[in-house]
């Protein structure tokens, strides 16, 4: 089976099983940006607990930009890497106010100029906030795409480029959200539940190839 055909089957099967929802809770554009920054090497569940406190204590970009940095670090500490994450969030809030009239920009180029924002975060923002085609090459996406034979790479940028060629633009962002659900549910990092998997018939790894 050609890769593109397999990708189309995967996209449709995932649509039948999972919602295209992001598990990070955010009410404002910058909240999604900062929650995504905090999610590096941290679970979404823990990020949601932290952001509830973060965004109620400092409830505007101005408040975050002017917050006492040590207090900000203390609040984001449960997410790990808290010093750099707190600094990034504060610098990012300042940059949004100074350069973007307090709005999150809608281009990859501008997003990548923001402190602490890499391609993964930028793609999530482009897809979720602006409805643009976007591949979020996170740990689930890389692992599952590899097992399903959609990419041979483990490099996030290369995986993003490979999937862009195989998945229709309108399905890209939603498919990545569904990969996350699928990766927690069946195609887990350790001991994937291949015998219970609805993609077993078309999965090279599941077929032992
Ligand atoms: Fe993952 Fe196994 Fe399903 Fe393949 S068959 S997608 S490895 S759970």
């Amino acid at each position: 089976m050609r890769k593109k055909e397999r990708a189309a089957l995967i996209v449709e099967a995932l649509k039948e099983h999972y919602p295209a929802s992001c598990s990070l809770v955010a009410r404002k554009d910058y909240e999604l940006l900062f929650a995504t920054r905090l999610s590096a090497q941290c679970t979404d569940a823990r990020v949601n607990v932290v952001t509830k406190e973060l965004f109620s204590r400092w409830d505007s970009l101005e408040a975050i930009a002017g917050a006492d940095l040590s207090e900000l670090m203390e609040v984001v500490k449960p997410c790990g890497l808290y010093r750099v994450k707190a600094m990034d969030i504060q610098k990012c809030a300042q940059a949004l106010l100074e350069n973007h009239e307090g709005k999150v920009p809608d281009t990859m180029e501008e997003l990548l100029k923001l402190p602490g924002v890499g391609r993964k975060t930028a793609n999530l923002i482009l897809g979720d906030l602006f409805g643009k085609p976007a591949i979020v090459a996170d740990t689930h996406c890389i692992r599952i795409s590899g097992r399903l034979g959609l990419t041979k790479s483990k490099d996030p940028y290369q995986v993003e480029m490979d999937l862009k060629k195989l998945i229709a633009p309108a399905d890209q962002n939603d498919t990545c959200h569904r990969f996350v659900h699928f990766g927690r549910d069946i195609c887990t990092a350790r001991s994937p539940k291949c015998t219970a998997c609805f993609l077993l018939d078309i999965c090279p790894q599941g077929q032992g190839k």
Side-chain angles (χ1 to χ4, degrees):
M1 184 184 293
R2 284 173 55 238
K3 263 191 202 174
K4 209 158 185 173
E5 285 171 47
R6 192 183 314 135
L9 290 173
I10 292 164
V11 167
E12 290 310 310
L14 288 171
K15 276 184 195 173
E16 284 173 24
H17 287 81
Y18 302 106
S21 56
C22 177
S23 28
L24 292 171
V25 176
R27 297 161 306 154
K28 301 176 186 171
D29 59 355
Y30 70 80
E31 290 188 359
L32 184 62
L33 183 63
F34 297 164
T36 308
R37 177 66 191 96
L38 290 174
S39 73
Q41 296 178 44
C42 181
T43 65
D44 289 355
R46 182 168 295 180
V47 170
N48 288 337
V49 172
V50 166
T51 51
K52 196 170 176 194
E53 163 78 9
L54 176 68
F55 299 137
S56 62
R57 202 187 288 201
W58 296 283
D59 65 356
S60 66
L61 269 182
E62 289 79 359
I64 296 169
D68 180 284
L69 186 56
S70 58
E71 277 182 45
L72 207 54
M73 285 181 182
E74 205 51 40
V75 169
V76 305
K77 201 168 189 174
C79 293
L81 306 171
Y82 65 97
R83 288 189 182 86
V84 68
K85 285 181 179 178
M87 283 192 282
D88 280 345
I89 285 172
Q90 185 161 67
K91 282 187 198 151
C92 198
Q94 291 162 353
L96 290 175
L97 289 167
E98 283 166 22
N99 306 325
H100 300 281
E101 298 174 345
K103 298 273 179 226
V104 175
D106 67 352
T107 64
M108 176 65 80
E109 191 189 1
E110 289 303 317
L111 283 163
L112 290 178
K113 288 181 192 163
L114 295 170
V117 175
R119 290 191 74 85
K120 189 182 84 170
T121 299
N123 272 310
L124 189 132
I125 293 298
L126 292 175
D128 278 15
L129 285 185
F130 301 108
K132 296 189 177 185
I135 296 288
V136 179
D138 64 7
T139 180
H140 295 289
C141 176
I142 294 169
R143 180 181 73 255
I144 294 166
S145 303
R147 287 174 175 173
L148 284 165
L150 301 181
T151 180
K152 287 192 169 80
S153 180
K154 289 194 179 347
D155 171 66
Y157 180 75
Q158 189 56 51
V159 172
E160 182 189 333
M161 294 304 121
D162 289 346
L163 294 187
K164 269 187 182 295
K165 288 183 205 146
L166 296 172
I167 300 175
D171 286 322
Q172 290 176 1
N173 188 48
D174 288 352
T175 299
C176 292
H177 282 312
R178 292 185 173 111
F179 277 153
V180 175
H181 294 295
F182 180 52
R184 288 177 181 151
D185 184 25
I186 292 182
C187 196
T188 47
R190 288 182 197 167
S191 310
K193 303 179 184 85
C194 298
T195 51
C197 179
F198 54 89
L199 293 174
L200 177 59
D201 287 350
I202 56 168
C203 176
Q205 172 151 331
Q207 298 290 329
K209 289 177 188 165

